[in-house]
Amino acid sequence: MTADRLRTDTGGDPAATTKADQIAQAIEEMIIAGRLAPGTVLRQDELSHRFGVSRTPIREALRQLAAMGLVSFTPNRGVRVRALDRDEWAQTFLARAALEGAAAELAAQRMTDARLAELDAANAEFGRQTALLRDPGVPAAERERASFAWIAANEDFHTTIIRAAGAPLFERLIAGLRRVFSGEALWAPGSPADRLYETNVRQHEAIRHALAVRNGPAARILVQDHIMDSWRLLQAVLDEPPV
Protein backbone atom coordinates (compact mmCIF):
# COMPACT_ATOMS: atom_id res chain seq x y z
CA MET A 1 0.00 0.00 0.00
CA THR A 2 1.63 3.27 -1.11
CA ALA A 3 1.37 6.64 0.60
CA ASP A 4 -0.64 8.00 -2.35
CA ARG A 5 -3.09 5.11 -2.09
CA LEU A 6 -3.37 5.73 1.63
CA ARG A 7 -4.31 9.38 1.07
CA THR A 8 -7.00 8.25 -1.38
CA ASP A 9 -8.30 5.59 0.98
CA THR A 10 -8.54 8.06 3.85
CA GLY A 11 -10.32 10.83 1.95
CA GLY A 12 -12.77 12.91 3.94
CA ASP A 13 -12.31 12.64 7.69
CA PRO A 14 -12.28 8.97 8.78
CA ALA A 15 -11.42 8.04 12.35
CA ALA A 16 -7.77 8.27 13.33
CA THR A 17 -7.76 4.60 14.23
CA THR A 18 -8.72 3.73 10.64
CA LYS A 19 -5.83 5.80 9.33
CA ALA A 20 -3.53 4.16 11.87
CA ASP A 21 -4.60 0.69 10.70
CA GLN A 22 -3.83 1.58 7.09
CA ILE A 23 -0.49 3.16 7.95
CA ALA A 24 0.48 0.13 10.04
CA GLN A 25 -0.41 -2.13 7.09
CA ALA A 26 1.65 -0.02 4.67
CA ILE A 27 4.72 -0.08 6.93
CA GLU A 28 4.22 -3.79 7.58
CA GLU A 29 4.27 -4.45 3.82
CA MET A 30 7.55 -2.53 3.49
CA ILE A 31 9.11 -4.52 6.32
CA ILE A 32 7.94 -7.86 4.89
CA ALA A 33 9.34 -6.98 1.46
CA GLY A 34 12.68 -5.94 2.97
CA ARG A 35 12.39 -2.29 1.96
CA LEU A 36 12.75 -1.37 5.64
CA ALA A 37 15.69 -3.35 6.97
CA PRO A 38 16.17 -4.34 10.63
CA GLY A 39 17.56 -1.40 12.57
CA THR A 40 15.95 1.25 10.37
CA VAL A 41 14.80 4.23 12.45
CA LEU A 42 11.15 5.19 11.91
CA ARG A 43 10.81 8.93 12.58
CA GLN A 44 7.32 10.20 13.31
CA ASP A 45 7.80 13.51 11.49
CA GLU A 46 9.04 11.77 8.33
CA LEU A 47 6.20 9.25 8.41
CA SER A 48 3.68 12.03 9.02
CA HIS A 49 4.92 13.84 5.90
CA ARG A 50 5.12 10.66 3.83
CA PHE A 51 1.53 9.58 4.54
CA GLY A 52 0.05 13.08 4.70
CA VAL A 53 -1.40 12.70 8.19
CA SER A 54 -0.87 14.13 11.66
CA ARG A 55 1.35 12.44 14.22
CA THR A 56 -1.60 10.93 16.10
CA PRO A 57 -2.32 8.07 13.66
CA ILE A 58 1.45 7.60 13.17
CA ARG A 59 1.92 7.02 16.90
CA GLU A 60 -1.00 4.57 16.97
CA ALA A 61 0.35 2.72 13.90
CA LEU A 62 3.77 2.37 15.54
CA ARG A 63 2.13 1.02 18.70
CA GLN A 64 0.34 -1.58 16.58
CA LEU A 65 3.59 -2.58 14.89
CA ALA A 66 5.32 -2.83 18.27
CA ALA A 67 2.54 -5.10 19.56
CA MET A 68 3.11 -7.35 16.53
CA GLY A 69 6.85 -7.45 17.26
CA LEU A 70 7.82 -5.66 14.04
CA VAL A 71 9.33 -2.57 15.68
CA SER A 72 10.81 -1.73 19.06
CA PHE A 73 10.84 1.45 21.14
CA THR A 74 14.33 2.23 22.46
CA PRO A 75 14.89 5.10 24.95
CA ASN A 76 16.82 7.96 23.34
CA ARG A 77 16.98 6.05 20.03
CA GLY A 78 13.39 6.18 18.84
CA VAL A 79 11.47 3.47 17.02
CA ARG A 80 13.42 0.93 15.01
CA VAL A 81 12.51 -1.98 12.76
CA ARG A 82 13.12 -5.04 14.88
CA ALA A 83 15.17 -8.08 13.91
CA LEU A 84 13.76 -11.38 15.19
CA ASP A 85 16.21 -13.95 16.52
CA ARG A 86 16.22 -17.52 15.21
CA ASP A 87 14.36 -18.98 18.16
CA GLU A 88 11.50 -16.54 17.56
CA TRP A 89 11.56 -17.35 13.86
CA ALA A 90 11.37 -21.09 14.60
CA GLN A 91 8.32 -20.53 16.82
CA THR A 92 6.75 -18.40 14.09
CA PHE A 93 7.13 -21.13 11.46
CA LEU A 94 5.74 -23.80 13.82
CA ALA A 95 2.67 -21.65 14.46
CA ARG A 96 2.29 -20.89 10.75
CA ALA A 97 2.49 -24.58 9.85
CA ALA A 98 -0.36 -25.42 12.20
CA LEU A 99 -2.61 -22.53 11.20
CA GLU A 100 -1.95 -22.54 7.46
CA GLY A 101 -2.29 -26.32 7.34
CA ALA A 102 -5.73 -26.04 8.94
CA ALA A 103 -6.66 -23.21 6.55
CA ALA A 104 -5.58 -25.31 3.56
CA GLU A 105 -7.84 -28.17 4.67
CA LEU A 106 -10.78 -25.75 4.83
CA ALA A 107 -9.79 -24.20 1.49
CA ALA A 108 -9.88 -27.60 -0.21
CA GLN A 109 -13.55 -27.92 0.76
CA ARG A 110 -14.41 -24.39 -0.37
CA MET A 111 -12.11 -23.86 -3.36
CA THR A 112 -13.84 -22.25 -6.34
CA ASP A 113 -12.71 -22.19 -9.95
CA ALA A 114 -12.02 -18.46 -9.63
CA ARG A 115 -9.79 -18.98 -6.58
CA LEU A 116 -8.00 -21.82 -8.34
CA ALA A 117 -7.30 -19.53 -11.29
CA GLU A 118 -5.84 -16.94 -8.88
CA LEU A 119 -3.69 -19.65 -7.33
CA ASP A 120 -2.43 -20.74 -10.75
CA ALA A 121 -1.51 -17.16 -11.70
CA ALA A 122 0.41 -16.62 -8.47
CA ASN A 123 2.18 -19.95 -8.81
CA ALA A 124 3.16 -19.27 -12.42
CA GLU A 125 4.70 -15.95 -11.38
CA PHE A 126 6.44 -17.65 -8.45
CA GLY A 127 7.97 -20.16 -10.85
CA ARG A 128 9.16 -17.43 -13.23
CA GLN A 129 10.85 -15.43 -10.48
CA THR A 130 12.44 -18.54 -8.97
CA ALA A 131 13.90 -19.43 -12.37
CA LEU A 132 15.37 -15.93 -12.65
CA LEU A 133 16.94 -16.13 -9.20
CA ARG A 134 18.41 -19.55 -9.96
CA ASP A 135 20.05 -18.28 -13.17
CA PRO A 136 23.74 -17.48 -12.49
CA GLY A 137 23.82 -15.14 -15.48
CA VAL A 138 21.23 -12.69 -14.12
CA PRO A 139 22.77 -9.29 -13.17
CA ALA A 140 22.72 -8.22 -9.51
CA ALA A 141 20.15 -5.45 -10.05
CA GLU A 142 17.78 -7.85 -11.80
CA ARG A 143 18.27 -10.42 -9.02
CA GLU A 144 17.28 -7.82 -6.44
CA ARG A 145 14.16 -6.89 -8.41
CA ALA A 146 13.31 -10.57 -8.87
CA SER A 147 13.69 -11.22 -5.14
CA PHE A 148 10.94 -8.70 -4.35
CA ALA A 149 8.75 -10.15 -7.11
CA TRP A 150 9.41 -13.65 -5.74
CA ILE A 151 8.24 -12.59 -2.27
CA ALA A 152 5.11 -10.95 -3.70
CA ALA A 153 4.20 -14.04 -5.75
CA ASN A 154 4.77 -16.33 -2.78
CA GLU A 155 2.58 -14.08 -0.62
CA ASP A 156 -0.13 -14.15 -3.29
CA PHE A 157 -0.04 -17.95 -3.47
CA HIS A 158 -0.42 -18.44 0.28
CA THR A 159 -2.90 -15.60 0.73
CA THR A 160 -5.16 -17.04 -1.98
CA ILE A 161 -5.32 -20.34 -0.10
CA ILE A 162 -6.03 -18.62 3.21
CA ARG A 163 -8.81 -16.50 1.71
CA ALA A 164 -10.32 -19.51 -0.01
CA ALA A 165 -10.74 -21.05 3.45
CA GLY A 166 -13.27 -18.34 4.30
CA ALA A 167 -12.03 -18.13 7.89
CA PRO A 168 -11.35 -14.47 8.84
CA LEU A 169 -9.91 -15.36 12.25
CA PHE A 170 -7.35 -17.68 10.66
CA GLU A 171 -6.54 -14.96 8.14
CA ARG A 172 -5.85 -12.39 10.87
CA LEU A 173 -3.76 -14.76 12.97
CA ILE A 174 -1.69 -15.95 10.01
CA ALA A 175 -1.11 -12.37 8.79
CA GLY A 176 0.47 -11.63 12.15
CA LEU A 177 2.95 -14.48 11.71
CA ARG A 178 4.08 -14.03 8.11
CA ARG A 179 6.69 -11.34 8.67
CA VAL A 180 10.03 -13.05 8.82
CA PHE A 181 11.57 -13.12 5.33
CA SER A 182 13.56 -10.13 4.09
CA GLY A 183 13.84 -9.43 0.40
CA GLU A 184 17.40 -8.22 0.99
CA ALA A 185 18.54 -11.82 1.55
CA LEU A 186 19.66 -13.21 -1.81
CA TRP A 187 21.10 -16.68 -2.24
CA ALA A 188 23.83 -17.82 -4.63
CA PRO A 189 22.81 -20.01 -7.61
CA GLY A 190 24.09 -23.56 -7.13
CA SER A 191 24.17 -23.30 -3.33
CA PRO A 192 22.23 -25.50 -0.87
CA ALA A 193 19.64 -22.72 -0.58
CA ASP A 194 19.26 -22.70 -4.35
CA ARG A 195 18.26 -26.36 -4.33
CA LEU A 196 15.80 -25.72 -1.52
CA TYR A 197 14.12 -23.06 -3.64
CA GLU A 198 13.67 -25.64 -6.38
CA THR A 199 11.96 -27.85 -3.78
CA ASN A 200 9.68 -24.93 -2.92
CA VAL A 201 8.41 -24.82 -6.50
CA ARG A 202 7.60 -28.55 -6.51
CA GLN A 203 5.80 -28.23 -3.18
CA HIS A 204 3.61 -25.41 -4.52
CA GLU A 205 2.60 -27.67 -7.41
CA ALA A 206 1.69 -30.51 -5.03
CA ILE A 207 -0.37 -28.19 -2.83
CA ARG A 208 -2.18 -26.82 -5.85
CA HIS A 209 -3.05 -30.35 -7.01
CA ALA A 210 -4.41 -31.35 -3.58
CA LEU A 211 -6.61 -28.26 -3.52
CA ALA A 212 -7.80 -28.81 -7.09
CA VAL A 213 -9.00 -32.36 -6.28
CA ARG A 214 -10.50 -31.13 -2.96
CA ASN A 215 -8.30 -33.40 -0.83
CA GLY A 216 -8.31 -31.51 2.48
CA PRO A 217 -6.15 -33.86 4.61
CA ALA A 218 -3.47 -33.99 1.91
CA ALA A 219 -3.53 -30.21 1.52
CA ARG A 220 -3.03 -29.79 5.28
CA ILE A 221 -0.02 -32.12 5.41
CA LEU A 222 1.57 -30.67 2.27
CA VAL A 223 1.24 -27.09 3.52
CA GLN A 224 2.63 -28.00 6.93
CA ASP A 225 5.65 -29.73 5.38
CA HIS A 226 6.14 -26.87 2.94
CA ILE A 227 6.22 -24.23 5.68
CA MET A 228 8.71 -26.16 7.80
CA ASP A 229 10.89 -26.66 4.72
CA SER A 230 10.61 -22.89 4.19
CA TRP A 231 12.09 -22.46 7.68
CA ARG A 232 15.03 -24.67 6.68
CA LEU A 233 15.33 -22.60 3.51
CA LEU A 234 15.46 -19.35 5.47
CA GLN A 235 18.15 -20.76 7.74
CA ALA A 236 20.20 -21.78 4.69
CA VAL A 237 19.89 -18.29 3.21
CA LEU A 238 20.92 -16.66 6.49
CA ASP A 239 23.95 -18.96 6.76
CA GLU A 240 25.21 -17.97 3.31
CA PRO A 241 27.53 -14.98 2.82
CA PRO A 242 25.79 -11.95 1.27
CA VAL A 243 25.72 -11.90 -2.55
Side-chain angles (χ1 to χ4, degrees):
M1 178 182 291
T2 65
D4 287 341
R5 179 177 157 193
L6 177 69
R7 292 191 187 100
T8 299
D9 290 346
T10 57
D13 185 28
T17 53
T18 302
K19 292 182 182 180
D21 291 343
Q22 293 174 329
I23 293 166
Q25 181 184 348
I27 297 173
E28 175 189 338
E29 290 173 357
M30 289 186 278
I31 293 173
I32 292 171
R35 290 190 288 273
L36 290 174
T40 300
V41 177
L42 300 178
R43 306 184 194 282
Q44 291 188 27
D45 54 346
E46 293 177 0
L47 293 172
S48 179
H49 176 74
R50 177 172 190 161
F51 291 110
V53 297
S54 70
R55 290 194 178 193
T56 300
I58 296 297
R59 284 194 295 269
E60 174 57 28
L62 293 175
R63 281 194 290 268
Q64 290 183 28
L65 294 168
M68 292 187 292
L70 290 176
V71 304
S72 60
F73 288 83
T74 307
N76 303 318
R77 298 181 66 184
V79 182
R80 292 176 180 268
V81 176
R82 183 171 175 266
L84 297 176
D85 63 34
R86 292 208 186 188
D87 184 57
E88 289 177 303
W89 283 4
Q91 294 174 48
T92 296
F93 275 92
L94 284 168
R96 275 190 57 194
L99 286 170
E100 292 197 42
E105 187 164 7
L106 283 174
Q109 303 166 18
R110 303 171 180 177
M111 183 64 66
T112 64
D113 290 342
R115 287 290 190 198
L116 198 59
E118 290 178 33
L119 197 65
D120 287 341
N123 202 33
E125 180 64 12
F126 180 79
R128 282 193 292 271
Q129 300 307 326
T130 302
L132 271 176
L133 289 168
R134 298 188 68 226
D135 184 349
V138 172
E142 177 65 8
R143 284 175 59 75
E144 183 176 4
R145 185 212 61 77
S147 74
F148 288 115
W150 182 93
I151 291 171
N154 188 55
E155 286 285 317
D156 287 345
F157 181 85
H158 286 273
T159 299
T160 299
I161 296 172
I162 295 163
R163 288 178 178 166
L169 177 58
F170 275 13
E171 189 170 349
R172 289 195 299 272
L173 291 172
I174 292 166
L177 294 167
R178 301 183 60 211
R179 321 176 191 284
V180 295
F181 194 90
S182 169
E184 297 300 323
L186 300 181
W187 73 94
S191 69
D194 177 40
R195 291 188 290 277
L196 286 168
Y197 273 89
E198 183 182 15
T199 299
N200 241 334
V201 173
R202 292 198 301 270
Q203 289 174 330
H204 273 205
E205 292 290 347
I207 292 166
R208 186 266 178 209
H209 177 73
L211 292 169
V213 298
R214 282 36 175 195
N215 188 333
R220 176 196 284 265
I221 293 169
L222 288 167
V223 167
Q224 289 175 338
D225 289 346
H226 169 58
I227 289 172
M228 295 316 298
D229 278 346
S230 295
W231 167 229
R232 287 183 277 275
L233 166 62
L234 179 56
Q235 292 179 87
V237 170
L238 294 171
D239 287 338
E240 286 188 358
V243 297

